[in-house]
Amino acid sequence: MTFSTTRRTLLMGAAATLALPAYIRRVNAQTAIKVAGVHASPVENAWNSRIHAAMQAAAADGLIEYEFSEGVAATDYPRAMREYAEGGAKLVWGESYAVEAEARAVAADYPETAFLMGSSGGPEGDNFGVFGTRNHEAAYLAGMLAGKMSKTGTFGSVGGYPIPEVNLLINAFRMGVKEVNPEAKFLNGFIGAWFDPAKAKEAAVAQIDGGADILFGERIGTADGAAERGAKAIGSLIDYTPRYPGTVFANAIWNYRPTIEAIVADVVAGKPVGRDYTEYSFMKYGGNELIYVAGEVPADAVPAMEEKKAAIAAGTFEVPIDANEPA
């Protein structure tokens, strides 16, 4: 392949394969498929890191063979997809937010290859599946905790771009806050980038200066601003508590493994993959979860949150999805 990106391959080693029980080796031999990941951002970016880690784990378990490129510019993106498809990948994973039309055109040219794309649009044909990020249920629960903690009654949030997947996450957080703190006020900022910690920190500091004392960090860098100014923060997608002790008290975690398992099963079974796989990010599939530091959350905030969490898991309460741009 010739495109100028960072490209790496992760395969399950022979020694690791032989260490597995024989019946698992037989299943792996039948079902492991070659998956290529085309990451627009570095795999250290929070969103990409969750997918990348899940792919690595699936490769280690023998479910897939995984190779990837990171930092692929929009101008190179279709070419990278094509070269992976021509290189024998059975499934090409990607993020088509900046290249919707181009990515769909590539998929149409390779009908025997499955494509799974993070997308704001719907699936197309038999081989172009889509998914959206849905850790909004955990964000709602985090908002319920935050609503009981704020001293100023003003809450901030820092996002990348005002696309539906980001908007619904911030709005879910706000809904959770409002459930326990109806008089809450909100500030928000979009930094116009998926990975720019310095800009995210700057936006966070501006909101703290504007009165916010708890911030929802959709983007990496938000907690840096909170830590500098003595505010509290909530992490999104990954667990930020070890990196920001005393600042990040809760995280809306996204787990991508259920999505991988769902589409791999379809590919192995020869089923069309032109469908929306977003549902596998929901809590009932284990696709998202809330983790929090119990000692940093008021005891009286927990029972209502846990009750709502149980209702979400049981399907008796659905966190509303509001994809409108938050003010």
Side-chain angles (χ1 to χ4, degrees):
M1 298 188 179
T2 59
F3 48 94
S4 56
T5 59
T6 301
R7 178 172 178 263
R8 305 179 212 168
T9 301
L10 294 170
L11 305 178
M12 190 176 185
T17 304
L18 292 175
L20 294 172
Y23 75 92
I24 294 181
R25 294 204 303 270
R26 288 196 298 271
V27 172
N28 288 340
Q30 294 171 356
T31 62
I33 65 169
K34 186 176 180 181
V35 177
V38 187
H39 295 266
S41 296
V43 293
E44 288 78 13
N45 182 37
W47 186 84
N48 298 83
S49 75
R50 296 304 293 161
I51 295 158
H52 182 62
M55 292 286 193
Q56 288 180 305
D61 291 342
L63 182 67
I64 63 173
E65 297 177 356
Y66 175 50
E67 59 181 333
F68 69 98
S69 295
E70 59 183 329
V72 182
T75 51
D76 262 345
Y77 212 93
R79 182 155 57 101
M81 292 174 63
R82 289 182 185 278
E83 292 186 1
Y84 276 128
E86 292 174 3
K90 297 297 183 183
L91 169 63
V92 176
W93 175 93
E95 43 190 298
S96 62
Y97 300 110
V99 288
E100 287 287 353
E102 296 90 338
R104 292 165 190 272
V106 172
D109 288 342
Y110 297 92
E112 301 303 314
T113 303
F115 292 82
L116 179 61
M117 295 281 148
S119 173
S120 296
E124 190 166 333
D126 289 337
N127 69 326
F128 189 92
V130 298
F131 70 91
T133 310
R134 294 293 187 274
N135 56 326
H136 64 300
E137 294 162 319
Y140 184 99
L141 298 176
M144 291 184 67
L145 296 180
K148 288 282 190 177
M149 295 175 61
S150 175
K151 296 178 181 179
T152 66
T154 299
F155 303 80
S157 53
V158 179
Y161 294 92
I163 65 171
E165 285 76 11
V166 174
N167 296 342
L168 65 87
L169 187 60
I170 294 171
N171 288 330
F173 164 71
R174 290 182 172 188
M175 291 177 205
V177 170
K178 282 280 194 179
E179 178 162 331
V180 299
N181 189 347
E183 303 304 316
K185 298 179 181 178
F186 300 97
L187 302 174
N188 183 66
F190 292 105
I191 63 173
W194 291 127
F195 189 74
D196 194 331
K199 279 189 177 181
K201 177 182 177 180
E202 182 181 352
V205 168
Q207 291 174 28
I208 295 168
D209 289 348
D213 62 350
I214 299 179
L215 305 177
F216 183 83
E218 195 272 329
R219 288 293 100 191
I220 289 176
T222 307
D224 292 297
E228 183 176 287
R229 294 301 179 94
K232 296 291 185 179
I234 294 166
S236 179
L237 304 175
I238 64 176
D239 182 4
Y240 288 94
T241 49
R243 182 175 173 181
Y244 301 98
T247 297
V248 174
F249 65 92
N251 299 272
I253 303 294
W254 184 39
N255 298 319
Y256 199 67
R257 181 63 179 264
T259 304
I260 295 172
E261 292 180 352
I263 192 166
V264 167
D266 285 346
V267 171
V268 171
K271 295 181 179 179
V273 301
R275 67 183 184 97
D276 191 337
Y277 288 84
T278 299
E279 64 180 297
Y280 297 100
S281 288
F282 280 66
M283 200 169 282
K284 65 180 180 180
Y285 290 104
N288 76 99
E289 61 181 316
L290 173 71
I291 62 172
Y292 64 95
V293 182
E296 297 184 16
V297 174
D300 64 351
V302 175
M305 182 278 292
E306 291 289 353
E307 182 179 350
K308 190 66 70 174
K309 176 182 173 182
I312 292 170
T316 56
F317 176 76
E318 292 185 7
V319 175
I321 293 178
D322 179 358
N324 294 310
E325 181 176 345

